[in-house]
Amino acid sequence: MSHLGYMEKLLDGVEVEWKPLGELGELVRGNGLPKKDFTESGVPAIHYGQIYTYYGLSTTETKSFVSLETAKKLKKVDTGDVVITNTSENLEDVGKALVYLGKEQAVTGGHATIFKPSKDILGKYFAYFTQSIIFSNEKRRYSKGTKVIDVSATDMSKINIPIPPLNVQAEIVRILDTFTELTAELTAELTARQQQYAYYREQLLTFEEDDIEWKNLGELATLRRGRVMSKGYLVDNIGNYPVYSSQTANNGEIGKINTFDFEGEYVNWTTDRANAGTVFYRTGKFSTTNVSGLIKINDTLRLNYKYLFYWLSIEAKKHVNSGMGNPKLMSNQVEKIPVPIPSLSKQKNIVAILDKFEALTSSITEGLPREIELRQQQYEYYRDLLLSFPKPEVVAHD
């Protein structure tokens, strides 16, 4: 059944009314609550920053607590209330909603607004609606600021919300909860597999000092750096060959140009800043910037590239120099990293096992990350369909 047919059957001829959020419940702006007020136990507390870093759409327990004395000064969150963020460094996190389902009354602080829903709207339905494209476009209209973006409780109250019958709201929540729970299960499984992967990697790459030959990396490989490339250079020379830098997002790729500096197999590491010591396996035709180092093995009949990649994935971070607040891992430090050298057949066996874990836990084209990505896309598709109600036409008056 099509989305339109399904929703028409669900609505059964009932017209969906749109109302400003301020008419659908009480909006209470939070106050206070710096992180220094947190305690190990006490009254449950919801900090606005944790809504976009820690919680999902709803929670029965809070990450933080405050003393009873502090709680008396803060705004109260009852079961079924929705806590909405008013402030963030990006628009996406402004207006993010958390439904509180805990049995004990909680509190929240500044940069957050408590929405206490009336009998006409389900808190969870509203929270899902805050993730929709419609709500995103509306909050953009009211956003203020550049570095720090704010949508006030007063402006939030003006945003129109579609109000289908409660049974329709409940069905929408049920469907979207199903997608959310599936994604959560897959994410939990991925976390377990990542822990399993880390354990087996550690076991497979643990060698006794006397049972195997060890060499410093500088004795086994040639090290070099990439070259300086500005953003303008990347734009002016756009092409098909990737350029890798010191970031870790997008597999380290910062753009593509029409030439390449390197071809073949390499191990690549980041030299500077927070990601210093992150290691990648590279193959094909590509270039790197000056904050990215390359390792070319001198004798591939003795040392396998993928084996070296897995070994350095554990070892390289241990050699990062974090002095002066700018972490660095330069070539002279990498050259001194000790490398255990089992037989080539054993190296390949270790690689075969770890490749399977890597595909399951990290691959964006297969394994759990791919499955999670597909489920998230499916969820977003149905969420936007289920929450796309026609707005009533505005009648012009003479």
Side-chain angles (χ1 to χ4, degrees), residues 175-187:
I175 294 169
L176 296 180
D177 274 354
T178 302
F179 283 113
T180 302
E181 287 162 12
L182 177 58
T183 302
E185 287 171 7
L186 288 170
T187 302

Side-chain angles (χ1 to χ4, degrees), residues 376-393:
Q376 183 64 23
Q377 289 173 355
Q378 191 178 37
Y379 160 72
E380 291 173 1
Y381 172 78
Y382 280 103
R383 179 197 65 204
D384 289 333
L385 280 179
L386 289 167
L387 296 170
S388 296
F389 298 99
K391 285 190 175 183
E393 293 184 12

Side-chain angles (χ1 to χ4, degrees), residues 76-276:
K76 308 302 185 287
V77 184
D78 297 307
T79 301
D81 286 353
V82 186
V83 184
I84 316 164
T85 59
N86 292 103
T87 304
S88 178
E89 292 179 358
N90 62 79
L91 185 64
E92 183 183 350
D93 286 332
V94 177
K96 197 159 189 176
L98 172 69
V99 185
Y100 179 62
L101 300 173
K103 295 178 180 178
E104 187 181 352
Q105 188 181 62
V107 294
T108 194
H111 305 302
T113 294
I114 306 162
F115 173 59
K116 296 180 176 290
S118 70
K119 59 181 176 57
D120 296 325
I121 186 170
L122 301 177
K124 218 171 189 186
Y125 165 80
F126 166 67
Y128 274 122
F129 185 75
T130 63
Q131 297 180 345
S132 69
I133 294 172
I134 300 169
F135 188 85
S136 177
N137 290 337
E138 286 296 302
K139 72 183 180 184
R140 186 184 299 275
R141 290 175 53 208
Y142 294 108
S143 64
K144 297 178 176 68
T146 51
K147 290 185 178 180
V148 176
I149 300 169
D150 186 89
V151 179
S152 69
T154 302
D155 285 334
M156 199 86 71
S157 71
K158 300 172 187 175
I159 296 177
N160 286 312
I161 313 294
I163 309 298
L166 287 173
N167 68 307
V168 177
Q169 294 181 39
E171 177 64 5
I172 290 171
V173 167
R174 185 194 68 78
I175 294 169
L176 296 180
D177 274 354
T178 302
F179 283 113
T180 302
E181 287 162 12
L182 177 58
T183 302
E185 287 171 7
L186 288 170
T187 302
E189 185 180 348
L190 176 59
T191 300
R193 293 292 172 267
Q194 287 171 333
Q195 291 170 345
Q196 188 181 35
Y197 168 43
Y199 171 80
Y200 279 108
R201 186 180 65 178
E202 193 74 33
Q203 293 297 309
L204 287 166
L205 294 172
T206 297
F207 303 98
E208 292 297 328
E209 196 77 37
D210 299 333
D211 293 345
I212 200 168
E213 183 184 9
W214 291 74
K215 291 278 188 181
N216 286 346
L217 184 56
E219 301 176 68
L220 301 165
T222 302
L223 280 62
R224 62 179 300 180
R225 298 274 290 278
R227 59 189 169 97
V228 176
M229 291 188 219
S230 66
K231 289 181 180 179
Y233 178 85
L234 296 177
V235 172
D236 293 341
N237 296 276
I238 193 165
N240 297 319
Y241 303 109
V243 176
Y244 301 113
S245 190
S246 63
Q247 68 174 40
T248 55
N250 195 32
N251 195 36
E253 184 183 313
I254 59 167
K256 285 185 168 73
I257 57 175
N258 53 17
T259 58
F260 60 90
D261 294 338
F262 307 103
E263 182 177 5
E265 267 189 304
Y266 290 85
V267 176
N268 172 217
W269 88 93
T270 57
T271 63
D272 287 69
R273 301 184 181 177
N275 299 320

Side-chain angles (χ1 to χ4, degrees), residues 197 200 204 348-358:
Y197 168 43
Y200 279 108
L204 287 166
K348 290 178 179 178
N349 185 51
I350 290 170
V351 167
I353 295 169
L354 294 181
D355 272 354
K356 290 177 182 177
F357 277 109
E358 183 78 10

Side-chain angles (χ1 to χ4, degrees), residues 32-47:
L33 191 57
K35 290 182 179 179
K36 65 179 178 61
D37 287 347
F38 291 162
T39 54
E40 290 295 318
S41 60
V43 178
I46 299 167
H47 187 269

Side-chain angles (χ1 to χ4, degrees), residues 47-60:
H47 187 269
Y48 84 100
Q50 294 168 349
I51 294 176
Y52 46 75
T53 58
Y54 178 78
Y55 297 108
L57 189 86
S58 64
T59 188
T60 56

